[in-house]
Amino acid sequence: MSQDRQMAQETEDPLAAAREKEGAPEDTEEPPMCPPSSPLGYREQHTQHKGFASLVWAAMPGMLFRKKRDSSLHPLNLSWVFGYNSSLAVHSLMDGEDRVLLYVSSHIVVIHDILGNKQYHLQGHTNVISCLCVSEDKRWVATADRGPDALIIVWDSYSGVPVRTIFESHPEDGVCAIAISQDAKYLVTISAGTVQKVCVWRWTLPTEKPMCSTELKPEFGYQDYVIFNPQNSQEFVSNSKTQVIFYLWDDAGLQYRAPFLSNQTFKCLVGQFSQSVFHFNNVQALTGTSAGKLVVWDMDNPRILPEELPAKPHGITATKVVSMQKESLTVLKVLESCVVTGDVKGQVKFYDGQLRLLTIYSHDKVGPIQSISFSTILRDPPGASPDSSKPFLTRNFILSTSDATMFHVATDSTNFERIMKEAKKAVNAIACHPQEPLVAAGSHCGLLKVWDYKETQYLVSRIFTEAGIQCLSYDPEGYLLAAGFTDGSVYILDAISLQSICEKFQFSQGPVTHISFSYDSKYLATADENHSVTVYKRVLQNGSRCWEHLAGLDSHYKPIRSILFGVHSDSNEPRLLSLGEDRQLVEYDLNSSIKDHLVVTHRDRLEQAAVPLCLAWYPQLSTESFFLTANSCYKMKLYNVTTKMCRKTVLGPTYGSPLEKIQILPRTSSADPQQHYLVYITKDKVGLQILPVDGNPHKSSAFICHPDGASDFATSHDGRYIFTAGGKERTFMKWKVNLPALDAAAFLGGEDLIPFYDLLNGGREGEFFRELEDYFYYVQLCSQGIDTMEKRQVSTHIPLEEIPSVMRAIGFYPSEEEIEEMINEVKFSKYADTGEQVIKISLGDFIKLYINHRPALGLSMKTIQRAFQVLGYDNEKGDKVIDTEDFLSLLQCRGEQMTEDELAECLITLLGRRHRKGGSELDTCDPTGAAALTEEIPAEITTEVFVADILSLPIAKPEKEQKEREQSLIYRDSES
């Protein structure tokens, strides 16, 4: 047990002993050149560059929006963030002529000039920000997150510069609560783990270790709120819903005391704790509760400030519980000589030091208060005397509610001005107008909002109370906006007024997940969670256009990933496709479909093992027409639109998760007509890909957009902006497209084969490449005869039929279907242009083929374990195993079935080679020995036995820093 923890758990009162000391040592005096308000001291002085001051040194309040933005070198740049995390506090940085707010949206800190309609984004976190705090002078902002690679970042709000980043502060679970001291020199953090750890940091020191720390007992509950004593930086308090804890720290360590309080203590209902503060008299602390009460904590012996007299020993006990109101208290603050509360009814109340009510601010449209932030500007009301008894009237404040609404309250007029109302539930739906700079976003709370994204102005909204909005789509003409809802209903709305143009449709039994119009606006198709596709048709009734239900069909047996309208090349009639996780591509005949009967023309299986995730029409870059898919194995595939034959497989972007949705970026008027780009989202990123796709990793770029999951995206009609929806993060973001930056990155990555050489183990000069060359020329020797005495023809090509042998020799073992796809890809690569088939392949093309077809992440132990989960059973030891007879039977009866001779040959190759003392690689296999070899296989095969004993692959032990990743196998066995 650590020394800090021992001190914290002593039976004697740890605070009583600690308060006998004179307090913390004096901080070293700051250099005279430093601004007096800066906690950085010596460090800030020495961040100045020669000849000019650093950004932090020269920063002043209000200059953030006046400085010029440098042109970005990134292909995508965050331009605007819509919505915010209403569970975290909103802070008022400036008030008056410059009304500036600071709040959190996903992993972004937004500094928002409300009156100037500008945003500045502080970007650095890769996980959703879980907590933040702001210094008393509103300059220093500390943010923290939870998740892998959690960070603590301290920002200068004047310049927007991150002045300090603390890595691995709480590596297991991240941070759930953070506070900054009155003098802005210290931070306190509480981890988000089951066993919570409390740390105190001197963030201006260049160290990754806290000054002191301690662990809390799980029975204290989840401590999610913490605050310093503004009059003593060595003291702070935290609370969970059931326990308040007081802390005192110094050079000796961190000590705490958790005083007991229950409903029996004062024979009254206390309720759950919300927030705690130190009283301005410095001898008491207060805690608000869900029962509308304030718990008053007293020191046994009152004391005066440590700098005036050493603190006397005392304990901390609850002396009374004061009933303030019936409604739950959600916010508790101390402002000068007032105690301020906020509650679930939206009321803000001011009390004096004896908890006597002074005044109330309330409004019937204000919901449960989440935070209160007072401006730093002191304003005397007209006619106020200098010794006014109401100092609380001198500061305006910002209210943030739990239903995602912000209000500015002017205390001189009690005016509540609503400055923002955003989605309070998941934002899953987003769509861009096909002709105008309009973007529509829908939320699960039923809120539908339309913005002018060029001017960043809110235009119109509508609230649907029956269900949440799941998907949106404008028709190609821009007159209509269709919305699919979580209850299965479909609304067709006027695109401008958002009023319904017809009665809602209710033909889906589950939430509508996809919705799309045909190119001529004659059809509307939807897909739902019950794996059904439903089609609506525009008809004429009494001389006016209206919509009616045409037909629906349970097209798939697994979730539908895409529905896609296109055009028949021979008739210009609408064409409808749907793609499901069942690997089925279903095409419908809309012309032949009649009322309640949706006709299917084709069903095609697109994948063998991978799951197709998205679908898009590929631009006409050649004489052949394709559609493009992306699958769960990081591959993108081109299929002929008529034959549905796979014509090309390439390595897709590998940024942590497969592509979830794809769309061709509309071209700008000034763009090269031959240049096309693909937009995509993964689980948490948005990216761009240069077309044509070829597997070159330098032609793609991606950026974190929504760490908790991107739910949808849309592109502006001119291709200048991309909008991403954040799902449960309750935000959506506007990204500005910078295509020259992506083109430059691709150019710098090299041309022709250079990017692909880098993807080989060891590169162009590595052993792997030299071995591949040897195999390539060995195949030529074999094709001309090993023992021939004739003059050999040295070539840079090998026959297509030798592709599988070389692939297996270098460690890639494709299935028979994958072999067929590889050979067809090369064979018909020039057929559409020349009418001739390719019969041989060069070394360069073979390298591209290998890079694009091999597993993107290698062979993983987890993949094999999943197969055993499905095919095996639990033995007596609790391990997943497969019976040997079942194993042999599965190989001969399931999937790509092996014949008995093929199975015997494989077993002799894998197991029999250990018994051969000599012999060449050309030795023939004796099938009669296979039966004897099966006796070497255990009756029950585990994953370890299968990998290590049968396949003879070494199992790599996962390194500590890679514990979150899959256990990996060495992909290639040179002896095989």
Side-chain angles (χ1 to χ4, degrees):
M1 183 181 294
S2 68
Q3 183 180 0
D4 291 344
R5 194 173 183 185
Q6 279 184 322
M7 294 173 64
Q9 294 183 349
E10 289 178 355
T11 55
E12 297 180 6
D13 183 5
L15 297 187
R19 290 183 185 273
E20 292 180 349
K21 300 182 180 181
E22 290 203 345
E26 293 283 336
D27 289 320
T28 57
E29 185 178 352
E30 295 180 352
M33 290 183 62
C34 272
S37 62
S38 172
L40 292 176
Y42 178 83
R43 180 181 173 196
E44 178 173 331
Q45 180 184 354
H46 285 262
T47 61
Q48 299 179 72
H49 300 287
K50 293 181 180 179
F52 61 93
S54 70
L55 286 174
V56 177
W57 176 263
M60 298 294 289
M63 67 169 285
L64 191 62
F65 296 101
R66 293 196 294 267
K67 68 179 185 179
K68 293 183 179 180
R69 300 277 189 97
D70 296 331
S71 56
S72 175
L73 301 178
H74 301 299
L76 290 175
N77 301 286
L78 184 61
S79 176
W80 198 272
V81 179
F82 302 83
Y84 71 103
N85 186 347
S86 58
S87 63
L88 297 182
V90 175
H91 294 272
S92 172
L93 297 186
M94 299 179 67
D95 196 60
E97 295 182 0
D98 297 311
R99 188 179 299 170
V100 180
L101 305 182
L102 181 143
Y103 52 85
V104 169
S105 294
S106 183
H107 63 303
I108 307 293
V109 182
V110 181
I111 299 179
H112 191 168
D113 181 352
I114 298 294
L115 302 180
N117 198 30
K118 300 175 183 177
Q119 284 187 352
Y120 192 93
H121 307 119
L122 307 182
Q123 302 179 70
H125 290 276
T126 58
N127 304 302
V128 172
I129 295 173
S130 56
C131 52
L132 80 160
C133 59
V134 177
S135 63
E136 181 67 20
D137 61 0
K138 305 300 179 77
R139 177 166 191 179
W140 310 105
V141 179
T143 56
D145 64 66
R146 64 179 74 169
D149 303 318
L151 300 176
I152 299 172
I153 304 179
V154 181
W155 313 82
D156 174 21
S157 70
Y158 292 177
S159 63
V161 172
V163 295
R164 180 75 164 94
T165 301
I166 301 175
F167 300 91
E168 297 184 353
S169 58
H170 299 278
E172 295 83 8
D173 305 284
V175 184
C176 73
I178 190 170
I180 190 167
S181 61
Q182 181 82 1
D183 56 12
K185 293 182 179 180
Y186 305 102
L187 292 175
V188 58
T189 60
I190 303 179
S191 71
T194 304
V195 178
Q196 292 185 286
K197 187 175 183 179
V198 182
C199 298
V200 177
W201 311 81
R202 176 70 187 263
W203 63 269
T204 56
L205 297 180
T207 176
E208 297 295 314
K209 295 184 178 180
M211 299 184 68
C212 53
S213 64
T214 188
E215 289 186 351
L216 302 178
K217 301 175 182 178
E219 52 263 35
F220 291 156
Y222 190 73
Q223 300 285 316
D224 56 3
Y225 184 80
V226 64
I227 189 171
F228 274 99
N229 184 347
Q231 302 181 56
N232 182 4
S233 297
Q234 266 68 42
E235 195 172 9
F236 58 92
V237 62
S238 73
N239 67 260
S240 65
K241 288 182 170 57
T242 58
Q243 181 67 61
V244 179
I245 305 177
F246 293 86
Y247 306 81
L248 193 67
W249 67 274
D250 55 19
D251 291 339
L254 175 61
Q255 310 163 44
Y256 69 81
R257 183 182 179 188
F260 176 77
L261 176 65
S262 70
N263 294 334
Q264 285 71 39
T265 305
F266 296 100
K267 306 299 182 183
C268 68
L269 177 65
V270 176
Q272 293 183 334
F273 301 135
S274 56
Q275 292 185 0
S276 301
V277 293
F278 287 92
H279 199 290
F280 52 80
N281 63 19
N282 203 34
V283 296
Q284 291 179 319
L286 306 171
T287 300
T289 79
S290 60
K293 296 179 172 62
L294 281 182
V295 180
V296 180
W297 309 91
D298 274 12
M299 313 305 177
D300 289 346
N301 295 313
R303 53 166 174 65
I304 57 179
L305 296 181
E307 54 265 32
E308 299 178 14
L309 192 70
K312 297 180 181 179
H314 69 279
I316 301 174
T317 56
T319 56
K320 57 183 174 180
V321 175
V322 182
S323 180
M324 311 300 292
Q325 59 187 53
K326 293 182 179 179
E327 296 82 12
S328 174
L329 298 178
T330 56
V331 177
L332 182 61
K333 299 182 76 70
V334 167
L335 175 67
E336 298 169 352
S337 59
C338 297
V339 177
V340 187
T341 66
D343 60 36
V344 293
K345 286 291 189 70
Q347 302 175 106
V348 179
K349 298 181 180 181
F350 291 78
Y351 300 87
D352 64 11
Q354 285 73 46
L355 302 183
R356 293 175 296 198
L357 181 64
L358 298 175
T359 190
I360 301 176
Y361 290 86
S362 63
H363 193 282
D364 57 359
K365 292 187 178 180
V366 180
I369 295 177
Q370 188 68 33
S371 70
I372 305 172
S373 179
F374 292 92
S375 71
T376 56
I377 298 176
L378 296 177
R379 173 192 45 75
D380 288 332
S385 60
D387 56 349
S388 172
S389 61
K390 296 186 177 182
F392 52 87
L393 292 177
T394 63
R395 296 179 190 263
N396 297 335
F397 56 91
I398 296 293
L399 289 183
S400 171
T401 68
S402 58
D403 56 6
T405 308
M406 296 183 200
F407 293 89
H408 177 268
V409 182
T411 54
D412 58 343
S413 61
T414 66
N415 178 45
F416 282 71
E417 178 189 354
R418 190 173 72 182
I419 55 179
M420 193 179 298
K421 180 175 177 59
E422 300 298 336
K424 58 185 178 182
K425 291 185 180 180
V427 177
N428 284 340
I430 194 164
C432 285
H433 195 278
Q435 300 168 14
E436 301 295 332
L438 305 178
V439 60
S443 166
H444 274 191
C445 65
L447 176 65
L448 174 61
K449 295 184 73 172
V450 178
W451 293 76
D452 179 336
Y453 57 75
K454 188 169 289 186
E455 301 296 331
T456 321
Q457 294 288 341
Y458 156 72
L459 297 179
V460 64
S461 65
R462 179 178 173 182
I463 296 179
F464 298 85
T465 58
E466 296 85 0
I469 302 170
Q470 185 70 27
C471 51
L472 292 170
S473 177
Y474 281 99
D475 78 306
E477 298 173 349
Y479 298 135
L480 305 175
L481 177 62
F485 286 76
T486 53
D487 65 350
S489 60
V490 173
Y491 283 77
I492 301 178
L493 313 172
D494 179 85
I496 303 300
S497 67
L498 302 185
Q499 297 303 308
S500 301
I501 66 167
C502 60
E503 293 294 324
K504 72 173 182 179
F505 296 104
Q506 188 79 54
F507 290 94
S508 296
Q509 301 303 312
V512 178
T513 56
H514 299 79
I515 192 165
S516 180
F517 283 95
S518 62
Y519 79 97
D520 56 4
S521 300
K522 289 183 179 178
Y523 294 95
L524 172 68
T526 67
D528 59 48
E529 284 191 2
N530 286 351
H531 319 147
S532 298
V533 172
T534 306
V535 178
Y536 304 89
K537 187 177 182 180
R538 190 182 68 191
V539 296
L540 283 175
Q541 284 186 357
N542 301 325
S544 62
R545 293 179 176 181
C546 62
W547 290 82
E548 68 175 16
H549 172 256
L550 178 61
L553 183 67
D554 294 337
S555 308
H556 300 267
Y557 63 88
K558 286 188 176 181
I560 297 174
R561 298 293 307 198
S562 295
I563 56 172
L564 187 65
F565 272 106
V567 182
H568 285 284
S569 58
D570 53 350
S571 64
N572 287 330
E573 288 294 325
R575 183 180 187 183
L576 178 62
L577 306 173
S578 67
L579 178 67
E581 290 184 9
D582 54 7
R583 304 181 177 86
Q584 296 291 316
L585 178 72
V586 182
E587 182 168 359
Y588 307 88
D589 187 345
L590 297 177
N591 278 338
S592 301
S593 298
I594 58 175
K595 184 68 174 177
D596 296 329
H597 180 63
L598 188 58
V599 178
V600 173
T601 57
H602 298 286
R603 286 183 181 271
D604 298 279
R605 182 176 63 84
L606 296 189
E607 297 281 357
Q608 182 180 33
V611 177
L613 299 178
C614 45
L615 175 70
W617 297 111
Y618 198 66
Q620 195 74 36
L621 302 179
S622 64
T623 55
E624 195 172 1
S625 298
F626 302 105
F627 60 81
L628 176 70
T629 68
N631 66 28
S632 59
C633 293
Y634 297 91
K635 303 295 184 183
M636 293 193 288
K637 293 188 175 184
L638 291 176
Y639 293 86
N640 183 284
V641 297
T642 304
T643 65
K644 310 297 195 316
M645 180 174 128
C646 180
R647 294 286 290 103
K648 191 177 185 67
T649 300
V650 299
L651 176 67
T654 52
Y655 297 115
S657 60
L659 306 191
E660 297 285 339
K661 294 186 178 182
I662 57 177
Q663 185 178 328
I664 304 301
L665 182 71
R667 292 203 304 269
T668 60
S669 56
S670 60
D672 181 354
Q674 299 301 316
Q675 192 69 48
H676 296 268
Y677 300 85
L678 179 76
V679 186
Y680 60 84
I681 55 172
T682 67
K683 179 182 178 182
D684 60 348
K685 298 177 182 68
V686 58
L688 286 171
Q689 166 87 43
I690 299 175
L691 300 181
V693 291
D694 59 4
N696 181 353
H698 300 292
K699 294 172 67 173
S700 177
S701 181
F703 300 85
I704 296 175
C705 57
H706 302 283
D708 272 359
S711 58
D712 199 5
F713 79 95
T715 58
S716 63
H717 66 90
D718 58 4
R720 297 181 185 275
Y721 297 100
I722 299 171
F723 298 86
T724 59
K728 62 182 180 180
E729 293 176 4
R730 296 165 285 176
T731 63
F732 71 98
M733 300 181 181
K734 180 175 80 169
W735 301 82
K736 189 174 183 179
V737 177
N738 182 16
L739 297 178
L742 182 60
D743 294 335
F747 176 78
L748 294 174
E751 297 179 343
D752 197 26
L753 285 170
I754 294 176
F756 296 92
Y757 288 144
D758 294 338
L759 297 176
L760 295 176
N761 186 20
R764 175 67 175 79
E765 305 301 326
E767 181 182 349
F768 182 86
F769 180 82
R770 292 196 297 271
E771 192 171 346
L772 175 56
E773 281 186 313
D774 291 342
Y775 283 129
F776 217 72
Y777 292 119
Y778 177 72
V779 167
Q780 293 185 32
L781 293 177
C782 291
S783 62
Q784 298 175 31
I786 293 291
D787 300 324
T788 183
M789 300 299 293
E790 298 180 3
K791 184 177 181 180
R792 297 189 179 276
Q793 301 295 322
V794 179
S795 171
T796 58
H797 294 73
I798 62 172
L800 293 189
E801 55 267 20
E802 298 295 341
I803 289 177
S805 299
V806 181
M807 289 287 183
R808 289 164 180 153
I810 60 177
F812 170 37
Y813 305 97
S815 67
E816 295 300 321
E817 183 171 314
E818 289 172 327
I819 291 172
E820 183 180 357
E821 287 184 352
M822 284 191 289
I823 293 177
N824 286 337
E825 179 177 323
V826 181
K827 181 186 294 185
F828 297 105
S829 58
K830 300 179 181 178
Y831 187 81
D833 297 324
T834 65
E836 297 179 353
Q837 296 182 2
V838 177
I839 60 173
K840 56 185 179 179
I841 185 172
S842 67
L843 178 60
D845 289 338
F846 181 89
I847 290 174
K848 290 183 179 180
L849 193 70
Y850 167 71
I851 293 294
N852 285 322
H853 281 266
R854 69 176 181 179
L857 304 179
L859 187 61
S860 69
M861 192 67 173
K862 186 172 287 187
T863 303
I864 298 175
Q865 289 170 344
R866 280 199 298 264
F868 271 69
Q869 289 285 339
V870 175
L871 301 174
Y873 61 91
D874 293 321
N875 64 5
E876 295 179 355
K877 298 180 180 179
D879 299 326
K880 280 290 180 182
V881 298
I882 300 177
D883 183 81
T884 300
E885 292 185 4
D886 293 340
F887 172 72
L888 299 175
S889 176
L890 287 169
L891 293 175
Q892 296 179 78
C893 302
R894 299 286 292 273
E896 292 184 347
Q897 302 170 6
M898 301 177 68
T899 65
E900 189 172 349
D901 288 345
E902 289 173 336
L903 179 58
E905 182 178 352
C906 285
L907 290 175
I908 291 173
T909 303
L910 291 171
L911 303 176
R913 66 190 177 105
R914 286 174 283 188
H915 300 282
R916 295 201 300 266
K917 302 297 183 182
S920 69
E921 296 179 12
L922 300 179
D923 288 345
T924 57
C925 297
D926 180 11
T928 59
L933 289 173
T934 57
E935 297 178 0
E936 297 184 15
I937 303 175
E940 295 180 338
I941 303 173
T942 64
T943 53
E944 290 76 14
V945 169
F946 177 69
V947 171
D949 297 342
I950 298 179
L951 299 182
S952 298
L953 293 176
I955 302 177
K957 295 181 180 180
E959 299 180 4
K960 182 179 180 180
E961 60 270 22
Q962 295 177 327
K963 61 183 179 181
E964 298 296 331
R965 303 178 184 176
E966 296 180 358
Q967 292 181 346
S968 62
L969 299 174
I970 294 179
Y971 181 69
R972 181 170 166 271
D973 183 4
S974 58
E975 293 184 358
S976 296

